[in-house]
Amino acid sequence: MSGNGTTAGDDPLQTAVWRLRSRACWSDAAALLLPATPAAALQRASLLVERCLYTEQGWEEAEDALRTAEALAHSDDERGAAACERGYLAYAATVLAVRDRADEARAALGRAAALVPPGAPQRALLDFRRGLLAENLTRSPQAARAAYRRAHAGATAQSDPLLLSFTWRHLAGLALREGELAEARHGFAESLRIREELGYLVGTAPALVSLADTETEPEASRLREEARRLFRLLGGVPTWLARQLAPVPPAATA
């Protein structure tokens, strides 16, 4: 699930779902969706899978919702989208060290790639998630960059700003690791700008921390303090950000 922070025709249900999701209220957002159609079941599963990645909790509920979405999927597009979520859930469990499901993640995203043709609306999100696997599980930055660039182009073509905020962020992360500081700063700044414009609060603190890593003082400290404020406001979500926000211990003296 990417979601662009807006809704076609200002659908009140989708507006409510977005507002809850962006404030880390995934369970409340999912409760608004009745899994009676393939689209609703998939969206509900996507919300609960995303909750796992941000909170490291709710794995069984996400699995149940995903099985419902898989059972309701009939077309190749629907089956491909469900497989994409299956791969993302397995990726989350692996990267958060809950359980090693790397093989399942690769198989599910490979199945999704066989079902979702290039140029299809879901392809950009699928390319992005395949980039995540390449970067964080396979440890192949070249393959990750290629996948992120395909996702970036797809998100641009589809006017999906939230997905663009993720592709900017991860391309910038690769640039930072290669010492390309100016390129990294630009990408992180674009990611932060989009998230602030969309009101995607749950993703704003990580964007602030990433940009801080490319800045000098006092701007770096200002950005991190703003990230801490948002992190506390959202009840310590995303959980994995706590390690990056921990105070740096003072240097030991003889």
Side-chain angles (χ1 to χ4, degrees), residues 98-111:
V98 175
R99 182 157 62 92
D100 186 350
R101 298 172 61 178
D103 289 343
E104 180 186 354
R106 294 187 188 95
L109 293 185
R111 184 164 65 252

Side-chain angles (χ1 to χ4, degrees), residues 142-208:
Q142 295 85 359
R145 182 179 292 103
Y148 291 149
R149 284 176 174 166
R150 290 194 300 271
H152 193 85
T156 301
Q158 294 166 24
S159 299
D160 186 342
L162 183 58
L163 182 55
L164 271 176
S165 83
F166 280 96
T167 55
W168 272 122
R169 173 173 164 77
H170 284 268
L171 285 167
L174 292 175
L176 183 60
R177 281 194 285 277
E178 293 179 353
E180 299 293 339
L181 190 63
E183 181 181 343
R185 183 183 296 117
H186 174 70
F188 287 139
E190 284 296 297
S191 179
L192 176 61
R193 176 187 62 79
I194 292 170
R195 292 179 182 198
E196 289 181 333
E197 288 177 357
L198 293 176
Y200 187 55
L201 287 182
V202 73
T204 300
L208 286 163

